[in-house]
Amino acid sequence: MVPIVVMGVAGCGKSTIGRALAERLGVPYAEADDFHPPANVAKMHSGVPLTDEDRAPWLAAIAGQIAAAGADGLVVSCSALKRGYRDVLRGGNPEAFFAHLVLTPEVAEARVSKRVGHFMPGVLVQSQFAILEPLAAEENGVGVDATLPVETIVEKVLSRLSRTQ
């Protein structure tokens, strides 16, 4: 099974959808936030956006997790905002499938402002939209409206995934 990367800006529902997909498929789930070094978490907690340099070891660690999963399958949540970031993740498995959860900045900010105990403050949502590069037509993946019900999103992702294999 190809790995699935659930991607998008903060507040789009990556963790919720990632867990639901992993459960549905009976494969492990990995939360990309768990791969951030403490310096990245501290930086984001203080409201400072990460740079590409900050993200490099984080993305490499996630790519390593994807590679380690092999044919067993894996669902991982990761913002994967830029094509270059997704290219790093594809280094773990060139067949990786990306599920981009799409929503407006207003909805993302509203969702993030309601989260409790997360290190990513709402002030960073705009910085994520500023660098977001949606999936290109030739990338293996699908964009899905993140405001749909969880089960509907899961169905749309799995339907598109089945057509690519």
Side-chain angles (χ1 to χ4, degrees):
M1 162 170 224
V2 301
I4 300 172
V5 178
V6 181
M7 62 167 283
V9 299
C12 70
K14 293 181 295 290
S15 299
T16 299
I17 299 304
R19 284 187 196 97
L21 278 165
E23 182 176 317
R24 175 83 172 269
L25 295 169
V27 300
Y29 169 71
E31 170 60 58
D33 286 347
D34 296 340
F35 293 86
H36 275 298
N40 282 9
V41 174
K43 195 170 186 179
M44 288 184 284
H45 187 70
S46 66
V48 178
L50 297 179
T51 64
D52 287 353
E53 184 177 271
D54 295 328
R55 287 184 178 96
W58 173 66
L59 290 165
I62 298 165
Q65 186 77 18
I66 290 170
D72 294 338
L74 172 73
V75 176
V76 63
S77 60
C78 176
S79 54
L81 299 172
K82 291 183 180 181
R83 171 84 180 249
Y85 302 167
R86 296 188 293 274
D87 289 344
V88 171
L89 298 177
R90 277 189 281 272
N93 184 325
E95 302 300 315
F97 182 86
F98 292 85
H100 180 189
L101 303 180
V102 181
L103 75 171
T104 65
E106 296 77 22
V107 172
E109 287 176 9
R111 287 181 175 184
V112 170
S113 70
K114 294 176 185 172
R115 293 199 297 202
V116 177
H118 194 277
F119 59 80
M120 177 76 161
V123 297
L124 292 182
V125 171
Q126 285 300 327
S127 71
Q128 290 199 331
F129 275 98
I131 66 168
L132 176 63
E133 296 173 3
L135 289 173
E138 68 277 4
E139 289 186 271
N140 188 24
V142 64
V144 181
D145 179 348
T147 64
L148 294 171
V150 171
E151 191 54 38
T152 302
I153 294 172
V154 167
E155 288 298 326
K156 287 181 176 290
V157 170
L158 293 177
S159 173
R160 180 60 183 262
L161 177 63
S162 70
R163 288 183 290 195
T164 65
Q165 295 185 4

